């Protein structure tokens, strides 16, 4: 691996994301030589930490995520970290930050390369971007910025934030991160679709009855009630993760594997996305909220959640495209908290075929993303002792050992930022279309709320979400494959 010189500035350097994900991921990249002698990291946040204290935190983060480490490596790695106490609204602090960045650039020969990482509360993203620009924090080499989700709260605020960021950065240098795009099985969708005639030729409007995407979570909102109550499942999971998965499943084959060709294929698809009317939102979408149990809170009783909240912790819905290999095929999705188990999966359901046996089970292609990773095709065959039809799975499974070698999504995606590969990041044009869709659904719900009788299905925890989620299918022969 090539050593990439850089000064990285993490806004939110004392936060949970930096501790759990960024520091361990950077350490792994350091161990592999991608960043080595010529890098420095400045962690910034409000707390009055010292350089030494940040280094201790970095070292703890590595020990918490690695079974065995070379203590000298950890020490050497942590010595590249610096802390700058910083109030993001105070212009003078950017001056100090700029000086420190320049000093470290000289000390580490970082060649004027700067990487900014927005890892703090999203309400500050715009302010930080504005001050990076007006205080000229960018360096003389490359300047890249990684922006965590949520990128805006709706299309208008996303456009505003984008304007603030593009004042200092080109679209090619903006890395809007979606950690689902760093997951092994999500990265497997394209090779699976485009290298297997069996799958490629079958995944067409002619053969596919519907596609189902389920992102189910076992846990509730936990300590994030304050944020979640302003977001809800549609913004938190559909606007980004679910839409990216659907785009990968439905997009036409890209001309080649370059980032620009892949984004072009995605954009071609998304231009043809059908935005639902308010009547369609009412018919094709279900929102829900979890109730409590003996040992879990109901959503409305969670800390920092409005007891009258209409925020959804579950959503099911439908999307269709006018173009692409599965044009006009319904793509159903659902996601929610407090399900019976954690399960992220995709089911591609093939159309029923008349046959001389007069019977057959549905023939599906399933991709399980988390917590296990596997792909399987459900097929029909003959029962041994009768003429009946039996159902079997042909499974392509990844062993535990193989999966243990898979790098964490953040390590993969940070690596991509260093080597300037934006394939697995969200392009502005994609984000814009996703928000157009989400805004329409949110507006329809808002109108319903204003009428005073919003339809929000209450559901019990440890189950499969509200039963109304089964009402969104176009035909009575359709149902959720994962139940
Ligand atoms: C995040 C959401 O983006 O994804 C969380 O904000 C959610 O609410 C999480 O729990 C799920 O990610 P994963 O990788 O655990 O499926």
């Amino acid at each position: 691996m090539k050593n990439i010189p850089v000064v990285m500035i993490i806004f939110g350097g004392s936060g949970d994301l930096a501790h759990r994900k960024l520091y361990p991921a950077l350490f792994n990249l350091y161990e592999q030589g991608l960043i080595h002698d010529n890098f420095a990291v400045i962690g910034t946040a409000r707390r009055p930490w010292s350089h030494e204290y940040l280094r201790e935190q970095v070292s703890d983060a590595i020990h918490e995520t690695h079974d065995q480490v070379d203590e000298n490596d950890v020490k050497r790695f942590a010595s590249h970290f610096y802390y700058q106490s910083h109030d993001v609204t105070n212009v003078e602090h950017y001056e100090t930050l700029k000086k420190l960045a320049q000093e470290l650039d000289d000390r580490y020969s970082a060649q004027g390369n700067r990487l900014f990482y927005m890892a703090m509360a999203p309400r500050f993203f715009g302010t930080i971007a504005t001050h990076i620009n007006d205080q000229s924090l960018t360096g003389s080499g490359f300047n890249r910025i990684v922006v965590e989700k949520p990128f805006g709260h709706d299309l208008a605020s996303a456009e505003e934030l984008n304007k603030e960021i593009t004042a200092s950065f080109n679209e090619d240098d903006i890395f809007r991160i979606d950690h689902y795009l760093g997951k092994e099985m999500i990265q497997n969708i394209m090779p699976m679709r485009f290298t297997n005639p069996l799958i490629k030729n079958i995944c067409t409007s002619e053969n596919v009855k519907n596609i189902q995407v389920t992102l189910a979570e076992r846990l509730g909102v936990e300590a994030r009630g304050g944020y979640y109550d302003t977001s809800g499942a549609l913004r938190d999971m559909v606007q980004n993760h679910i839409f990216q998965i659907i785009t990968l499943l439905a997009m036409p084959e890209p001309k080649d594997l370059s980032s620009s060709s892949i984004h072009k294929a995605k954009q071609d698809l998304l231009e043809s996305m059908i935005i639902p009317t308010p009547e369609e939102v009412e018919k094709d979408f279900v929102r829900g909220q979890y109730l409590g149990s003996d040992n879990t809170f109901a959503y409305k009783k969670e800390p920092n959640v409005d007891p009258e909240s209409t925020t959804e912790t579950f959503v099911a819905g439908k999307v269709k495209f006018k173009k692409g290999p599965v044009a006009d095929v319904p793509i159903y999705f659902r996601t929610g908290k407090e399900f019976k188990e954690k399960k992220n999966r995709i089911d591609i359901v093939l159309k029923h075929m008349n046959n001389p046996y007069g019977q057959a089970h549905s023939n599906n292609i399933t991709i399980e993303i988390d917590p296990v990773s596997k792909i399987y095709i459900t097929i029909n065959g003959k029962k041994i002792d009768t003429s009946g039809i039996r159902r079997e799975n042909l499974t392509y499974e990844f062993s535990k050992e193989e999966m243990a070698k898979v790098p964490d999504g953040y390590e993969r995606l940070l690596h991509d930022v260093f080597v300037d590969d934006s394939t697995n990041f969200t392009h502005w044009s994609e984000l814009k279309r996703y928000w157009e869709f989400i805004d329409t659904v949110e507006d329809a719900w808002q109108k319903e709320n204003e009428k005073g009788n919003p339809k929000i299905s209450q559901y019990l925890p440890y189950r499969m979400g509200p039963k109304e989620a089964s009402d969104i299918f176009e035909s009575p022969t359709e149902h959720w494959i994962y139940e």
Side-chain angles (χ1 to χ4, degrees):
M1 258 191 215
K2 208 172 115 215
N3 178 18
I4 311 244
V6 68
V7 173
M8 182 171 180
I9 300 175
I10 303 180
F11 293 95
S14 66
D16 187 54
L17 177 75
H19 191 91
R20 279 188 311 113
K21 296 291 184 184
L22 304 184
Y23 298 151
L26 284 170
F27 179 69
N28 293 344
L29 297 176
Y30 174 77
E31 289 281 82
Q32 294 159 49
L34 184 73
I35 42 173
H36 217 261
D37 297 328
N38 311 109
F39 87 99
V41 180
I42 306 175
T44 79
R46 279 196 114 155
R47 294 177 213 192
W49 286 6
S50 62
H51 298 326
E52 211 30 63
Y53 191 74
L54 173 65
R55 288 173 196 155
E56 279 167 29
Q57 290 297 311
V58 169
S59 162
D60 286 353
I62 291 154
H63 288 111
E64 284 159 24
T65 45
H66 293 73
D67 290 338
Q68 276 184 334
V69 277
D70 179 330
E71 290 306 328
N72 287 329
D73 279 3
V74 177
K75 248 201 189 121
R76 263 196 300 271
F77 172 71
S79 74
H80 289 255
F81 283 71
Y82 296 82
Y83 188 78
Q84 176 69 54
S85 174
H86 181 88
D87 169 0
V88 293
T89 57
N90 186 331
V91 176
E92 280 166 28
H93 287 190
Y94 290 86
E95 268 294 307
T96 326
L97 196 56
K98 184 176 166 177
K99 274 199 202 118
L100 178 61
Q102 268 159 3
E103 211 179 290
L104 295 176
D105 195 308
D106 293 341
R107 191 177 315 161
Y108 290 93
S109 309
Q111 300 176 14
N113 295 332
R114 297 279 187 281
L115 175 55
F116 301 87
Y117 200 115
M118 300 232 196
M120 57 193 309
R123 65 178 185 282
F124 298 121
F125 292 174
T127 313
I128 300 171
T130 303
H131 292 319
I132 289 177
N133 184 42
D134 59 30
Q135 301 307 307
S136 316
L137 248 74
T138 47
S140 56
F142 70 64
N143 286 287
R144 297 178 193 150
I145 186 164
V146 184
V147 191
E148 276 291 333
K149 66 168 269 269
F151 196 101
H153 184 72
D154 50 19
L155 180 58
S157 56
E159 273 173 338
E160 181 61 30
L161 175 59
N162 206 47
K163 212 164 86 196
E164 286 158 335
I165 295 177
T166 47
S168 301
F169 299 89
N170 300 322
E171 173 64 28
D172 287 350
D173 297 319
I174 305 171
F175 293 79
R176 298 178 194 84
I177 201 162
D178 179 330
H179 77 283
Y180 267 66
L181 291 179
K183 288 186 190 261
E184 178 65 17
M185 295 311 284
I186 304 291
Q187 296 199 347
N188 220 326
I189 294 177
M190 282 198 11
M192 190 195 84
R193 281 190 57 204
F194 301 128
T195 63
N196 296 299
L198 182 72
I199 294 178
K200 180 175 166 178
N201 294 328
I202 277 296
C203 286
T204 63
S205 312
E206 207 183 319
N207 301 304
V208 177
K209 183 169 179 170
N210 66 53
I211 297 178
Q212 306 180 7
V213 178
T214 302
L215 302 187
E217 296 195 77
R218 170 64 286 289
L219 298 172
V221 296
E222 300 189 281
R224 295 167 74 227
Y227 148 75
Y228 196 88
D229 210 33
T230 62
S231 164
L234 190 68
R235 290 192 177 98
D236 187 50
M237 297 291 283
V238 180
Q239 187 273 334
N240 36 65
H241 313 319
I242 287 195
F243 268 144
Q244 278 292 353
I245 294 174
I246 290 176
T247 307
L248 284 167
L249 288 166
M251 72 193 215
E253 185 168 328
K255 189 165 84 336
D256 52 46
L257 291 182
S258 66
S259 171
S260 57
S261 300
I262 291 173
H263 285 295
K264 165 90 175 54
K266 289 184 169 185
Q267 286 150 22
D268 286 349
L269 173 81
L270 291 172
E271 272 164 26
S272 81
M273 180 163 69
I274 302 173
I275 306 283
T277 62
E279 293 71 38
E280 283 164 343
V281 173
E282 199 182 334
K283 187 165 58 70
D284 299 336
F285 288 75
V286 170
R287 49 178 168 156
Q289 243 177 21
Y290 58 80
L291 295 166
S293 69
D294 288 348
N295 47 10
T296 56
F297 287 122
Y299 176 65
K300 285 184 182 150
K301 301 232 165 86
E302 294 278 17
N304 302 320
V305 168
D306 175 359
E308 304 287 316
S309 177
T310 53
T311 300
E312 77 290 352
T313 60
F314 171 93
V315 57
K318 181 176 89 172
V319 59
K320 274 188 180 182
F321 299 94
K322 285 196 194 131
K323 287 195 188 148
V326 285
D328 211 36
V329 170
I331 304 181
Y332 302 108
F333 57 81
R334 63 185 161 162
T335 181
K337 305 262 185 208
E338 289 285 6
F339 261 58
K340 67 170 180 183
E341 60 183 350
K342 168 83 180 171
K343 180 78 82 181
N344 291 342
R345 63 181 264 172
I346 298 160
D347 295 284
I348 301 172
V349 184
L350 302 180
K351 284 184 182 160
H352 179 75
M353 195 173 64
N354 284 333
N355 67 75
Y357 296 90
Q359 54 169 314
H361 306 284
S362 76
N363 180 207
N364 311 325
I365 302 167
T366 297
I367 305 170
E368 292 209 8
I369 303 159
D370 282 328
V372 289
S373 303
K374 59 182 174 184
I375 301 171
Y376 55 92
I377 304 183
T378 312
I379 61 158
N380 292 294
K382 182 191 155 304
K383 277 190 181 158
I384 290 175
D385 48 355
T386 70
S387 59
I389 296 295
R390 75 180 215 189
R391 160 183 243 197
E392 284 297 334
N393 289 346
L394 298 180
T395 307
Y396 169 12
E397 202 156 2
F398 299 78
S399 70
K400 272 213 172 94
E401 291 72 36
E402 273 179 309
M403 286 314 288
K405 283 195 212 129
V406 173
D408 178 73
Y410 271 93
E411 181 183 332
R412 266 193 175 142
L413 296 173
L414 266 176
H415 172 268
D416 291 349
V417 178
F418 281 118
V419 300
D420 200 16
D421 179 354
S422 51
T423 311
N424 287 312
F425 292 83
T426 307
H427 193 275
W428 169 247
S429 57
E430 292 150 28
L431 191 90
K432 191 162 177 277
R433 284 299 277 163
Y434 298 159
W435 273 126
E436 280 166 10
F437 189 103
I438 298 295
D439 278 3
T440 314
V441 180
E442 291 283 358
D443 286 352
W445 284 351
Q446 188 54 36
K447 291 213 173 78
E448 210 182 274
N449 293 352
E450 282 159 13
K451 282 190 200 146
N453 192 17
K455 270 198 280 164
I456 304 172
S457 311
Q458 307 295 314
Y459 62 96
L460 288 168
Y462 302 101
R463 311 244 173 115
M464 290 298 291
K467 60 178 183 349
E468 289 81 355
S470 295
D471 298 341
I472 64 169
F473 293 105
E474 288 185 357
S475 102
T477 63
E478 293 174 303
H479 60 90
W480 293 107
I481 298 297
Y482 164 58
E483 278 178 323

